[in-house]
Amino acid sequence: MQRNKLGSSELYVSEIGLGCMSLGKDEQESINIIHRAIDEGVTFIDTADLYDFGANEELVGKALKGKRDQCVLATKVGNRWDHVDEGWEWAPSKDYIKTAVKRSLQRLDTDYLDLYQLHGGTIEDPIDEIIEAFEDLKQDGLIREYGISSIRPNVIKEYLSRSNIVSIMMQYSMLDRRPEEFLDLIQENDVSVIARGPLAKGNLTERIFTDKASGKGFMEYSDEEIRDVMTKVKEIAKGRDLSHLSLRYPLNHPAVATVIPGASSVSQLENNVAAADVNLSEEEVELFKEWTQVTHYDKHRE
């Protein structure tokens, strides 16, 4: 498995990582998925304190028992739920980040995090205070590096210019090409992109031809438009799995260090990992761009 340097850090991550949000309710199956991922060369494991309100971190911690040194472990912070009856609220204060990291470390059963990420963010946040919190955690040895998970252009620009982030997680796929506006800028700042949602909720797989249409489409695409795109992709696939081609697309840009598809079964994990042995030609990448839309961030503020 190809490993890529994460920004300016000394962390090297597998180009195919594992997003743990999609792990199912079966604890043993989830542990098997993580173990199989590591066996297959996956070194980047991503979770968040918000996923299942801490239970996902606990599950990942159990799976990594005795295997912690074999992976780059990442989680996220900023959403607080411990003081409300239901739901959560955005709480990106310095004090909360320093409190939350200790809880994540306990749930993950580890002494340190390789990557700690701000799980969202707005331009109204106390950005200097947030940066101070992450820098303090680095000084204390609780985290090795930090990054953000955001698709807000104004937020991204602020952190690129004011902080020492090494990564930006953002949704990026053939059907969501918004990051392409900023990939060169991110690379110029020696920061890497972690691409989440590379399969666009399964729309960029064979499933688009076999499942009953949801009627919801994806972003600005209707189900019919997605099938049209994937029909064209299938015509030039030459026997290659459609999901493999879709996973390779974000990795075409050197700013992208890893893609993190989820997996709810060992077989799904193994299929995702097999994309490591697939390549896209420059001509194929250009065709994929020709067949899909360029959508801008200002039309989809999150």
Side-chain angles (χ1 to χ4, degrees):
M1 175 85 71
Q2 171 72 33
R3 296 187 185 185
N4 298 318
K5 188 177 181 183
L6 196 65
S8 59
S9 76
E10 295 183 357
L11 300 175
Y12 282 81
V13 296
S14 54
E15 61 179 1
I16 310 294
L18 175 63
C20 292
M21 186 174 69
S22 300
L23 294 176
K25 299 296 184 182
D26 187 315
E27 180 177 299
Q28 190 55 55
E29 175 72 1
S30 298
I31 290 174
N32 291 342
I33 290 169
I34 294 174
H35 286 180
R36 186 60 180 164
I38 292 172
D39 290 344
E40 290 287 340
V42 172
T43 65
F44 186 63
I45 308 292
D46 177 77
T47 180
D49 60 1
L50 185 63
Y51 299 164
D52 293 328
F53 299 106
N56 195 270
E57 284 185 327
E58 291 178 351
L59 182 60
V60 172
K62 289 180 182 179
L64 294 181
K65 195 77 171 177
K67 298 178 181 288
R68 175 66 182 88
D69 62 344
Q70 298 178 45
C71 71
V72 174
L73 178 59
T75 191
K76 310 181 195 74
V77 65
N79 296 288
R80 185 178 181 184
W81 70 88
D82 61 323
H83 64 307
V84 292
D85 293 333
E86 59 181 45
W88 64 89
E89 69 174 9
W90 181 237
S93 70
K94 183 176 183 178
D95 287 344
Y96 181 66
I97 291 172
K98 288 191 167 187
T99 297
V101 72
K102 295 174 182 177
R103 295 171 180 169
S104 285
L105 289 171
Q106 184 176 26
R107 287 189 291 260
L108 288 162
D109 194 18
T110 185
D111 296 327
Y112 69 97
L113 298 170
D114 295 296
L115 180 67
Y116 205 28
Q117 303 159 99
L118 185 69
H119 201 174
T122 72
I123 200 66
E124 288 79 28
D125 290 341
I127 294 177
D128 287 334
E129 181 180 320
I130 292 169
I131 294 170
E132 286 176 10
F134 284 124
E135 291 290 347
D136 287 350
L137 294 179
K138 281 188 68 175
Q139 283 290 109
D140 294 341
L142 297 180
I143 68 173
R144 294 179 66 186
E145 301 290 352
Y146 65 96
I148 63 173
S149 177
S150 177
I151 64 164
R152 294 177 180 267
N154 51 3
V155 172
I156 289 170
K157 289 178 179 178
E158 286 298 312
Y159 281 92
L160 284 177
S161 64
R162 295 162 63 176
S163 76
N164 294 311
I165 59 170
V166 299
S167 63
I168 301 172
M169 181 179 291
M170 54 179 67
Q171 182 170 289
Y172 183 29
S173 71
M174 275 195 283
L175 297 183
D176 185 356
R177 293 174 51 200
R178 291 175 293 177
E180 291 175 9
E181 294 182 58
F182 295 98
L183 292 180
D184 289 344
L185 174 65
I186 292 170
Q187 184 184 17
E188 288 166 9
N189 281 271
D190 205 8
V191 173
S192 290
V193 169
I194 299 168
R196 64 177 177 85
L199 296 178
K201 297 184 177 179
N203 284 291
L204 292 174
T205 71
E206 288 282 353
R207 200 181 79 186
I208 193 66
F209 300 114
T210 59
D211 286 7
K212 183 178 180 181
S214 67
K216 297 179 181 179
F218 184 81
M219 293 187 65
E220 294 189 338
Y221 294 87
S222 66
D223 288 331
E224 184 178 354
E225 288 171 327
I226 297 171
R227 276 194 296 270
D228 180 59
V229 169
M230 295 310 290
T231 297
K232 293 176 181 177
V233 173
K234 195 170 187 176
E235 288 173 353
I236 66 168
K238 299 176 183 177
R240 292 170 293 176
D241 188 291
L242 297 187
S243 65
H244 295 168
L245 301 184
S246 300
L247 286 170
R248 296 306 313 182
Y249 178 80
L251 289 164
N252 177 68
H253 196 286
V256 180
T258 182
V259 296
I260 53 168
S264 57
S265 67
V266 171
S267 60
Q268 190 175 44
L269 177 280
E270 290 174 339
N271 186 66
N272 290 340
V273 171
D277 297 324
V278 175
N279 292 306
L280 290 181
S281 68
E282 291 183 12
E283 292 77 13
E284 288 169 336
V285 171
E286 290 307 312
L287 282 173
F288 293 169
K289 289 181 177 181
E290 180 182 322
W291 297 335
T292 55
Q293 306 168 21
V294 178
T295 308
H296 299 287
Y297 278 105
D298 58 357
K299 295 180 70 176
H300 290 278
R301 308 294 290 184
E302 293 189 10

